Amino acid sequence: MRLPSFPTLIRTIYTISNTTTSRFFANAPASQKAIAPFTRGTVLKSMPTIPFLGSLFTTSAKDMTDYPVQKTDDEWRAVLNKEQFRILRTKGTEAPFTGAYDKHSPAAGVYTCAACSAPLYRATHKFKSGCGWPAYFDSIPGAVVRHTDRTFGMARTEIVCANCGGHLGHVFKGEGYPTPTDERHCVNSISLTFKDEEPSGAEAKEIGR
């Protein structure tokens, strides 16, 4: 009996754990398979918490009352679609290679929080990692908050919007990418929106320009 390939196995685990239907890596375009040599480890570390296993572990999360923008779950549901709410407010993860900004490579502009529109990353922070999610080597100063996430039986660094606490993804360090910080902010596309022009005036001061 032939065992499934590693990418197929990872995609299958994601599909089963989130009760969603998504394409298997075996059916993905060849361009999605031509990723960096270290992508296997990258994808594995970046995978979402599996719900039925995640319930067995605890998460060290920042108190949601610490953020400037405060809304009840019902208020967030009124302004976010179902998938945005799942990821931004309940710390879900989109399937790899499916996000709108995975291969998005603008020369300029700003990525903002999909929940509160706070500026998070500049286009110049983005780089190609091949991990299946948008990757940034740095964020706008003060825009992102980090804390330890101990779900799935491991310690990872979760990143959230400093303005509303919306879940963005996780940050990984020391993977060997040729970037100024040697960090990879692995962010869900659904957590972001993109603006072609950088903010000016008062907005620029707020993001540390």
Side-chain angles (χ1 to χ4, degrees):
M1 179 178 178
R2 185 177 180 182
L3 295 176
S5 66
F6 182 86
T8 299
L9 180 60
I10 290 296
R11 196 61 171 269
T12 302
I13 291 174
Y14 179 89
T15 303
I16 294 174
S17 67
N18 289 277
T19 62
T20 61
T21 56
S22 61
R23 300 167 300 169
F24 287 96
F25 276 21
N27 296 325
S31 60
Q32 290 182 357
K33 298 178 182 179
I35 54 181
F38 40 75
T39 296
R40 289 188 176 186
T42 298
V43 172
L44 183 58
K45 288 191 296 183
S46 304
M47 286 301 292
T49 299
I50 299 177
F52 63 85
L53 291 180
S55 62
L56 302 178
F57 305 98
T58 58
T59 301
S60 176
K62 184 175 179 179
D63 189 341
M64 298 305 288
T65 61
D66 291 345
Y67 301 102
V69 174
Q70 293 292 315
K71 295 180 186 290
T72 65
D73 283 350
D74 286 341
E75 288 173 329
W76 281 120
R77 287 190 177 95
V79 296
L80 302 175
N81 63 41
K82 184 176 181 180
E83 190 68 352
Q84 286 175 325
F85 183 86
R86 182 182 74 84
I87 290 175
L88 283 158
R89 307 314 303 175
T90 68
K91 305 183 186 298
T93 302
E94 66 193 8
F97 303 107
T98 62
Y101 299 126
D102 178 26
K103 296 183 178 180
H104 190 235
S105 301
V110 171
Y111 294 89
T112 63
C113 176
C116 69
S117 299
L120 300 172
Y121 300 96
R122 294 192 178 93
T124 51
H125 291 146
K126 197 170 190 295
F127 70 99
K128 295 180 180 179
S129 70
C131 69
W133 291 272
Y136 306 85
F137 64 79
D138 203 355
S139 62
I140 290 171
V144 172
V145 172
R146 307 182 184 202
H147 61 75
T148 302
D149 172 6
R150 299 189 182 279
T151 56
F152 203 31
M154 65 180 77
R156 295 180 296 170
T157 302
E158 182 190 7
I159 44 178
V160 302
C161 172
N163 193 47
C164 70
H167 175 73
L168 304 175
H170 293 83
V171 61
F172 303 95
K173 190 174 181 65
E175 295 178 315
Y177 289 104
T179 62
T181 61
D182 196 18
E183 286 190 345
R184 175 175 61 92
H185 291 229
C186 184
V187 183
N188 292 286
S189 290
I190 290 175
S191 298
L192 304 171
T193 55
F194 178 74
K195 295 182 179 180
D196 291 321
E197 297 182 359
E198 296 232 8
S200 59
E203 286 183 309
K205 293 181 180 179
E206 291 179 4
I207 63 173
R209 291 195 65 193

